Amino acid sequence: MDYLDIEFKNYVDARGKGKSYEEFALFKAFAFQSLLIQINSYLSKKTKVLEVGFGSGYFLSLLSQNGHEVYGVEKSENALRYAKEIFNEKKQSSKNLMIADGFKLPFPDNSFDLVFNIGVIEHFSVSEQRIFISEMKRVSKKLVLISVPNHTQGSLYSEFKIKSNFYIAETENIVKMEYLVKLTELIPIKYSGFLTIRAKDSINKELDQLYRKHKFIAKESYSPKDFPNLLKFEMNLSDDERFSFGFLKYFLAEK
């Protein structure tokens, strides 16, 4: 069973017990809130956005809550069901979520202000990644964002690979990401990362040094009530620090 299928089942169980997505998947919810703050200055009040491979759909839900017109494509029927459940929890319309091929998007050229994917293209070869990015560029009027797991030694993701039963091996050729962005004639305008927060018992030496530098004290556990303070800490980090230590890193580029 795919990890997303397991997560979906567990989410449905959590909802049956009255829990919100933020309570069920605290770190993921925090990560997406962090990303939204980081890119918000590049978005107008009502940006038309497309996520290619939306997974749980939570980030699209956040964008929708902030007044943006959201669309999403996925290849997985279970992902679509998962996202619809989250949109239903947040009392939002999921009418623009659909099953489609990311390599052949069912939209005309220049349809969206922002086209993005998070943790998708690392599963493809370099030649496929180039096609995937080019297709994202085709349907974007202006912005393309590509986010991938952070394989930098000492990052949260490198620790996750070692310890997690849910780790799925990727091609791990994402070191070429900036090269691929430029190869598709996109112009990088920002790079950074997100989710540098972990519970006290799961931080490594590198994170401990980062936390000490910024006078952050990791807790045994967190709740959604901690989000304002956690976001304040993460926003105080430099783009280089987030890019090096975060669970995910990203490039924001324009046509």
Side-chain angles (χ1 to χ4, degrees):
M1 182 180 288
D2 184 88
Y3 83 93
L4 195 67
D5 297 339
I6 297 170
E7 184 179 298
F8 178 33
K9 179 181 180 301
N10 292 338
Y11 169 70
V12 171
D13 291 343
R15 287 294 297 148
K17 297 172 184 176
K19 289 187 176 182
S20 66
Y21 180 84
E22 290 81 3
E23 293 170 307
F24 162 70
L26 184 138
F27 285 121
K28 283 190 174 183
F30 170 76
F32 291 132
Q33 292 192 29
S34 170
L35 177 60
L36 181 58
I37 290 174
Q38 291 183 51
I39 67 171
N40 200 46
S41 63
Y42 296 91
L43 307 178
S44 66
K45 288 187 177 179
K46 191 173 181 181
T47 301
K48 187 178 180 182
V49 301
L50 169 67
E51 182 170 11
V52 186
F54 51 72
S56 70
Y58 182 74
F59 190 54
L60 277 180
S61 174
L62 272 184
L63 287 163
S64 179
Q65 287 176 47
N66 281 266
H68 302 294
E69 183 181 354
V70 302
Y71 291 74
V73 300
E74 252 291 350
K75 67 175 184 178
S76 164
E77 292 282 357
N78 244 10
L80 180 59
R81 285 191 285 269
Y82 191 178
K84 285 186 173 182
E85 286 291 335
I86 287 178
F87 272 65
N88 183 57
E89 177 198 333
K90 306 303 180 185
K91 296 179 172 57
Q92 299 166 325
S93 171
S94 59
K95 66 179 183 178
N96 293 331
L97 306 183
M98 65 193 76
I99 298 296
D101 184 355
F103 289 93
K104 194 174 182 180
L105 294 168
F107 306 106
D109 297 356
N110 305 311
S111 293
F112 301 93
D113 302 295
L114 167 68
V115 181
F116 67 95
N117 74 70
I118 301 172
V120 174
I121 67 170
E122 69 271 13
H123 298 288
F124 304 117
S125 68
V126 173
S127 59
E128 290 172 321
Q129 288 170 11
R130 182 177 179 181
I131 296 169
F132 200 89
I133 295 170
S134 295
E135 184 66 354
M136 292 173 65
K137 175 187 173 185
R138 179 186 68 78
V139 300
S140 174
K141 297 177 192 175
K142 183 179 180 183
L143 296 172
V144 173
L145 184 144
I146 300 156
S147 176
V148 294
N150 187 357
H151 292 287
T152 305
Q153 185 175 357
S155 71
L156 286 172
Y157 189 77
S158 65
E159 297 290 310
F160 169 79
K161 286 198 300 181
I162 297 168
K163 299 175 182 177
S164 175
N165 293 327
F166 294 114
Y167 172 65
I168 301 172
E170 290 108 6
T171 55
E172 300 198 13
N173 45 32
I174 297 306
V175 291
K176 299 184 177 68
M177 181 54 57
E178 187 173 11
Y179 162 75
L180 281 166
V181 167
K182 291 178 178 178
L183 198 64
T184 53
E185 298 182 343
L186 287 164
I187 303 167
I189 57 174
K190 180 178 174 64
Y191 73 93
S192 191
F194 50 103
L195 185 59
T196 52
I197 309 296
R198 295 306 283 177
K200 185 176 181 180
D201 64 355
S202 63
I203 62 174
N204 57 30
K205 181 178 71 175
E206 289 83 1
L207 280 174
D208 185 54
Q209 291 173 345
L210 181 70
Y211 292 172
R212 287 174 184 272
K213 175 183 174 183
H214 290 276
K215 297 180 174 58
F216 175 76
I217 300 173
K219 295 172 62 173
E220 300 292 340
S221 62
Y222 302 96
S223 78
K225 292 180 180 179
D226 293 304
F227 280 7
N229 286 334
L230 296 180
L231 288 166
K232 182 178 178 180
F233 163 72
E234 183 143 312
M235 292 310 108
N236 282 335
L237 300 177
S238 68
D239 283 330
D240 282 335
E241 287 172 329
R242 287 193 292 259
F243 192 81
S244 297
F245 296 105
F247 193 88
L248 295 125
K249 57 185 177 181
Y250 68 87
F251 283 94
L252 180 65
E254 63 183 3
K255 293 175 74 168

